[in-house]
Amino acid sequence: MTRANLASPARTRQAGKHVGRALATATAVIALAGCEDKNTFVAPPPPKVDVATPVQRAVTRYVEATGNTAPIKSVDLVARVQGFLQSIDYQDGTFVKQGTQLFTIEPETYKLKLEQAQAAEAGAQATLKQAEADFKRQTELVQRQAVSQSTLDTSTSNRENAQASLQQAQVNTRLAEVNYGYTKVTAPFDGIVSAHLVSIGELVGVSSPTQLATIVALDPIWVNFTVNEQDVLRIRAEAARRGLTVADLRQLPVQVGLQTETGYPHEGHLDYVSPTLSTSTGTLAVRGVIPNDKRVLLPGYFVRVRVPFTQEKEALLVPDTALGSDQGGRYLLVVNNDNVVEQRKVQIGPTDNGLRVIESGLKPDDRVVIAGLLRVIPGQKIDPQVTKIDQSQASTK
């Protein structure tokens, strides 16, 4: 009995330990269960993304190219007679009107030659007058049989020789007048004269014409450029559709802008279209003529050129920033009726007032993602924030 009582407390302590462990385990399980309920995953809301329908408006289609300016008139002023340069009658680089005297080449010698020719012409006229009087008198005498026919024949020959001599004298006078006129070099048209290439007192026109300076006309001015074969075919197809002739095409406006200018502030019209394409470049040479009264355009400038050839009344436009690109080409992100993003392949056209023309792949009522393209992917659901495409900051190009 005594041994049994002594062992009882030990068993009691052992059993208590097992009960405590069980309670601790149960408590831990309950705690973990409570934590799992509190950390349940909740999906984030769809991202807010700006979307807008494309702008729909009339768009003018242009053929764009790079060209260069060239003067419509450029002439080297040369000495056409021999002599010493007597004077330079203009300031280098100034604008002169047609007929303005620019150089004088020793006129005295040629003036004397002119006077000599005029004197010889006067003598020939007197000789002819005398020969005609003799011919008339001999004709009357032959009619009265007072002289022989041979005398009349001699008088007739003298008259004809006198007529020939007068004609020769008149030609010599005219040549002398022309040479005397060459001693004064004048501007053949309105333009700017370059710096003189000879000095006063220099002998010019000795063995060949001596270049004195160059005069260039700047108003109007030519713009030469080329059009590729694809654009040529488009223009011809549009001209055929509208019933335009070659003369009508020459009335198409040509708009020009310098590299430092915004837009195309200079406007003229087509002046020439080559009848054939270049086989080496596959392009057609075209020329426009541009008014240049303020002389902003100088020969040799590289300029931006565009020629409007048709107008589309209901073109669709989006900002360039809305376009993406991959190996398949350009695309737009479009939101469907379930607010899910779709990738739409599109064909793009030119820019118009800062917006890009979409040729195909887009409908007027499509909602296009115009901002935050990096935050959305195709197949993702979004919260579309409908807005309008801002055109106020679109710059004319």
Side-chain angles (χ1 to χ4, degrees), residues 72-111:
I72 61 171
K73 297 178 184 178
S74 180
V75 173
D76 292 334
L77 302 171
V78 297
R80 302 178 67 175
V81 292
Q82 179 179 335
F84 293 96
L85 188 64
Q86 182 171 300
S87 65
I88 300 173
D89 307 311
Y90 75 100
Q91 293 292 324
D92 292 350
T94 56
F95 175 80
V96 297
K97 300 291 289 184
Q98 180 179 357
T100 301
Q101 185 170 328
L102 305 175
F103 298 93
T104 304
I105 303 173
E106 196 177 5
E108 187 64 26
T109 301
Y110 295 93
K111 183 180 180 182

Side-chain angles (χ1 to χ4, degrees), residues 70-74 189 216-222 271 287-290 299:
I72 61 171
K73 297 178 184 178
S74 180
F189 49 79
V216 179
L218 298 182
D219 181 27
I221 195 168
W222 277 334
D271 178 65
R287 186 179 68 201
V289 58
I290 310 296

Side-chain angles (χ1 to χ4, degrees), residues 55 57 319 352-355 388-396:
V55 174
R57 67 165 182 241
D352 182 80
N353 289 343
L355 297 179
K388 289 186 178 181
I389 296 175
D390 183 17
Q391 301 182 64
S392 61
Q393 298 178 353
S395 59
T396 303

Side-chain angles (χ1 to χ4, degrees), residues 53-279:
T53 56
V55 174
Q56 190 172 11
R57 67 165 182 241
V59 171
T60 301
R61 298 301 182 96
Y62 297 92
V63 172
E64 298 185 353
T66 299
N68 64 284
T69 55
I72 61 171
K73 297 178 184 178
S74 180
V75 173
D76 292 334
L77 302 171
V78 297
R80 302 178 67 175
V81 292
Q82 179 179 335
F84 293 96
L85 188 64
Q86 182 171 300
S87 65
I88 300 173
D89 307 311
Y90 75 100
Q91 293 292 324
D92 292 350
T94 56
F95 175 80
V96 297
K97 300 291 289 184
Q98 180 179 357
T100 301
Q101 185 170 328
L102 305 175
F103 298 93
T104 304
I105 303 173
E106 196 177 5
E108 187 64 26
T109 301
Y110 295 93
K111 183 180 180 182
L112 292 174
K113 290 181 178 179
L114 174 59
E115 292 174 350
Q116 183 181 26
Q118 289 172 339
E121 181 182 352
Q125 287 177 342
T127 301
L128 176 60
K129 185 177 180 180
Q130 181 180 1
E132 287 180 341
D134 183 67
F135 171 77
K136 184 178 180 180
R137 183 171 52 255
Q138 296 301 329
T139 301
E140 293 175 352
L141 291 175
V142 168
Q143 291 176 352
R144 289 183 295 176
Q145 298 182 353
V147 297
S148 64
Q149 183 64 38
S150 62
T151 303
L152 178 60
D153 292 341
T154 301
S155 179
T156 302
S157 176
N158 291 338
R159 187 190 67 165
E160 292 176 351
N161 287 334
Q163 289 176 340
S165 296
L166 177 59
Q167 290 178 353
Q168 182 64 45
Q170 290 172 339
V171 171
N172 291 337
T173 300
R174 181 58 184 153
L175 289 174
E177 287 177 350
V178 170
N179 288 331
Y180 179 59
Y182 288 158
T183 63
K184 297 178 181 180
V185 180
T186 60
F189 49 79
D190 296 354
I192 294 179
V193 188
S194 69
H196 60 274
L197 303 177
V198 293
S199 301
I200 296 176
E202 186 173 346
L203 182 63
V204 296
V206 180
S207 57
S208 61
T210 304
Q211 183 176 351
L212 307 176
T214 301
I215 183 171
V216 179
L218 298 182
D219 181 27
I221 195 168
W222 277 334
V223 175
N224 297 306
F225 58 99
T226 58
V227 178
N228 62 51
E229 185 175 352
Q230 184 178 3
D231 286 336
V232 171
L233 294 174
R234 289 166 55 199
I235 293 173
R236 288 176 65 88
E238 179 64 19
R241 185 184 70 83
R242 296 167 56 184
L244 300 178
T245 64
V246 175
D248 296 328
L249 290 176
R250 288 186 176 178
Q251 299 304 315
L252 287 177
V254 175
Q255 300 171 355
V256 173
L258 295 174
Q259 303 300 321
T260 56
E261 292 178 328
T262 300
Y264 299 82
H266 314 283
E267 184 169 325
H269 61 85
L270 285 180
D271 178 65
Y272 168 77
V273 177
S274 174
T276 59
L277 271 76
S278 170
T279 56

